[in-house]
Amino acid sequence: MSREQRIVETFVELADTMVAGFDVIEFLHRLAERCAELLDCAEAGLLLADPAGLLRVMASSSERSEALELLQSQSEEGPCVEAYLRGEPVASEDLDADSGRWPAFAPAAVEHGFGSVQRYRCASAARRSEP
């Protein structure tokens, strides 16, 4: 099956879950799993900003990546936080070399078996500005 066919099937699958009373958390977990598959990456996670602009872990394709997403949320450091604040993709080809960039995240990610990361900021809704 081609990548385009898999994308179409994923959209159909996700749309089919949006019925009255659908479970948002289950939807987000399925979305994270499909992103990992379609982007051909080992893991995927989804963090959303709350009204105060703090990132919250919403879903992950595995417990391993969920732990790292939670670390980023709590320490307010890491590629997701940086991508959110900068409004553009953030990458690290070598997390060992980026331990100075993210002193809490990078060593933990390496310890969990990750060697590189790529993060996207998909939403255009920026942090709320204070009145």
Side-chain angles (χ1 to χ4, degrees):
M1 176 183 321
S2 74
R3 183 170 187 266
E4 289 78 17
Q5 289 172 315
R6 290 185 0 230
I7 291 171
V8 168
E9 284 187 4
T10 297
F11 276 115
V12 170
E13 174 190 2
L14 293 172
D16 283 347
T17 66
M18 293 185 179
V19 296
F22 84 102
D23 185 345
V24 174
I25 300 301
E26 175 60 32
F27 172 82
L28 294 174
H29 278 283
R30 189 172 297 177
L31 177 61
E33 291 169 352
R34 297 303 174 266
C35 284
E37 292 170 12
L38 294 170
L39 296 172
D40 195 27
C41 59
E43 314 270 341
L46 177 63
L47 284 81
L48 297 177
D50 68 13
L54 299 174
L55 293 177
R56 304 290 181 197
V57 178
M58 300 306 298
S60 183
S61 62
S62 75
E63 289 181 18
R64 181 174 79 146
S65 62
E66 185 170 350
L68 290 176
E69 304 298 7
L70 187 57
L71 172 66
Q72 290 184 85
S73 177
Q74 292 173 342
S75 67
E76 296 182 5
E77 166 203 303
C80 288
V81 175
E82 188 175 323
Y84 174 68
L85 293 174
R86 290 175 42 190
E88 57 189 41
V90 171
S92 171
E93 294 297 321
D94 183 357
L95 285 169
D96 273 326
D98 278 333
S99 61
R101 183 178 183 184
W102 304 307
F105 174 80
V110 170
E111 186 176 307
H112 279 85
F114 292 97
S116 63
V117 293
Q118 175 74 41
R119 300 296 189 198
Y120 301 94
R121 180 177 186 254
C122 299
S124 60
R127 297 173 69 176
R128 285 184 159 174
S129 41
E130 298 300 318

